[in-house]
Amino acid sequence: MIIFTVWKSGNQYRGFSFQGHAGYAPEGEDIVCAAVSALALNTVNSIESFTDDFFEQEFSEDGGYLRITFQENVSEKTSLLMDSLLLGITNIQAEYGNEYITLTYEEV
C-alpha cells in the first residue's frame, strides 16, 4: 500500500511524502504506483521550474519513497500545484480504493 501524507499549517502547505508500493499489479506493471509517482515527480519538477519556492527532498533510489518539505510559506503557484497533485491523488484513491493508497493530512 502507498501511504501518501500531506503536512499543512493552517492553509499553508508544509510538504508531503509517499512511501510504499501499491501492490495493484507486479512490479513494472503497477499502474497505481506509476500514476502516484508521475504526479508527485511532476509536481516537484513543476515547483522547481515555475516557482522560486525552496524545498528539501529525500528519496530512495529504488523508488517507493519521496519526501518534500517547504522551509517557508509557499507561493500561490506552489499552492495551486499542490492542490492539483492532491486532486490527482484523491482521484486515484477513489478509483482504485483504500487497499492500494491512503491519503492523510496532518496539521503541523
Side-chain angles (χ1 to χ4, degrees):
M1 173 190 303
I2 296 173
I3 299 170
F4 201 102
T5 305
V6 179
W7 300 288
K8 291 185 92 173
S9 178
N11 64 351
Q12 276 289 319
Y13 288 106
R14 295 294 179 217
F16 71 89
S17 73
F18 74 86
Q19 60 187 16
H21 294 280
Y24 181 77
E27 186 176 334
E29 298 175 19
D30 195 325
I31 60 174
V32 176
C33 277
V36 170
S37 295
L39 284 172
L41 293 175
N42 187 65
T43 300
V44 170
N45 290 337
S46 295
I47 291 169
E48 191 170 53
S49 294
F50 302 130
T51 79
D52 293 324
D53 294 329
F54 176 75
F55 59 89
E56 294 180 2
Q57 64 181 332
E58 298 174 39
F59 58 92
S60 66
E61 292 291 329
D62 63 349
Y65 177 74
L66 173 66
R67 179 185 177 107
I68 301 298
T69 52
F70 301 109
Q71 301 305 308
E72 300 177 0
N73 287 347
V74 298
S75 66
E76 287 183 36
K77 287 181 180 179
T78 293
S79 288
L80 180 60
L81 290 166
M82 289 293 297
D83 289 344
S84 179
L85 167 65
L86 296 173
L87 175 64
I89 297 298
T90 300
N91 288 339
I92 292 168
Q93 184 181 30
E95 179 72 23
Y96 294 96
N98 292 336
E99 67 187 275
Y100 300 109
I101 182 170
T102 299
L103 173 61
T104 59
Y105 291 85
E106 294 181 5
E107 185 71 20
V108 293

